[in-house]
Amino acid sequence: MNLDKLFEVQRGLDAEITKNHPVVFGENRLRKKILATLTEVAECANEFPEVFKFWSNKKNDKKKGLVELVDILHFLLSIGNEHERGLIQVEELKKSSDIADCMIDMCFQISCIEFVKEAHTNSFIRFSELTHLLGFTWHEVEEAYLAKNKLNYQRQDTGY
């Protein structure tokens, strides 16, 4: 996955969003992006109920799950662009073997982004692990990201 390319693509979408929804004086957009990212992690988890819903017989929905996974990526990229968080190459970092633990730690890392510089990088590491654990390739994620990015532009054009 070419993160440099995706950061650039996200930068364009962020500019379009800011044009249509200017930052209000005193607004902490970073906190809003952190909350949005945490929400997307939860939405992703909901598409993989077999991971944690021991009380349910509902099956995983990989197609919908990929959409939510890509939404996480949108916000991680946006946070990195706006707040110049450092990144490392994450393609081969796969340490966790448990999806629930990976998601929980990702939420923790995301929650710390405002205060701990390494938390953004750690969030990307967990994202990389989660991608692998859910059975997706970087190629699938990148294609889905680019498709969702186009949809997000369309949404901005229609007053979303």
Side-chain angles (χ1 to χ4, degrees):
M1 177 174 280
N2 184 342
L3 289 177
D4 291 336
K5 172 186 168 186
L6 296 186
F7 272 110
E8 186 61 36
V9 170
Q10 185 64 42
R11 202 171 289 119
L13 178 61
D14 288 343
E16 184 70 14
I17 291 170
T18 300
K19 181 180 87 176
N20 294 328
H21 305 277
V23 177
V24 177
F25 178 77
E27 177 183 13
N28 187 337
R29 203 155 271 192
L30 174 60
R31 288 202 134 202
K32 290 179 178 182
K33 288 179 182 182
I34 289 169
L35 181 56
T37 312
L38 292 169
T39 300
E40 296 302 341
V41 174
E43 289 177 3
C44 184
N46 260 340
E47 299 305 335
F48 295 93
E50 294 173 64
V51 170
F52 72 101
K53 290 187 177 182
F54 56 87
W55 61 89
S56 175
N57 293 320
K58 189 175 176 186
K59 298 298 179 196
N60 292 344
D61 188 331
K62 274 190 81 172
K63 185 176 179 181
K64 288 182 181 177
L66 179 58
V67 171
E68 300 304 338
L69 189 68
V70 164
D71 287 344
I72 297 167
L73 180 58
H74 270 90
F75 284 109
L76 288 176
L77 292 167
S78 182
I79 289 168
N81 277 335
E82 186 173 341
H83 299 283
E84 298 182 27
R85 305 294 175 185
L87 284 178
I88 60 172
Q89 294 299 317
V90 295
E91 280 83 356
E92 298 302 321
L93 296 172
K94 300 173 185 87
K95 297 177 184 171
S96 181
S97 61
D98 184 89
I99 295 170
D101 286 348
C102 188
M103 286 183 163
I104 290 167
D105 188 52
M106 186 185 329
C107 287
F108 174 74
Q109 295 299 329
I110 292 165
S111 297
C112 294
I113 285 174
E114 191 170 12
F115 309 106
V116 180
K117 185 174 182 174
E118 296 80 19
H120 187 250
T121 297
N122 293 340
S123 297
F124 261 102
I125 291 169
R126 295 297 169 252
F127 180 83
S128 175
E129 292 172 349
L130 184 61
T131 296
H132 171 74
L133 291 170
L134 294 176
F136 297 109
T137 66
W138 276 120
H139 180 72
E140 289 173 303
V141 171
E142 187 171 5
E143 282 186 350
Y145 170 85
L146 294 172
K148 183 68 183 272
N149 190 271
K150 287 180 185 178
L151 175 62
N152 286 339
Y153 269 103
Q154 291 170 354
R155 288 175 169 176
Q156 288 302 303
D157 290 342
T158 59
Y160 178 78

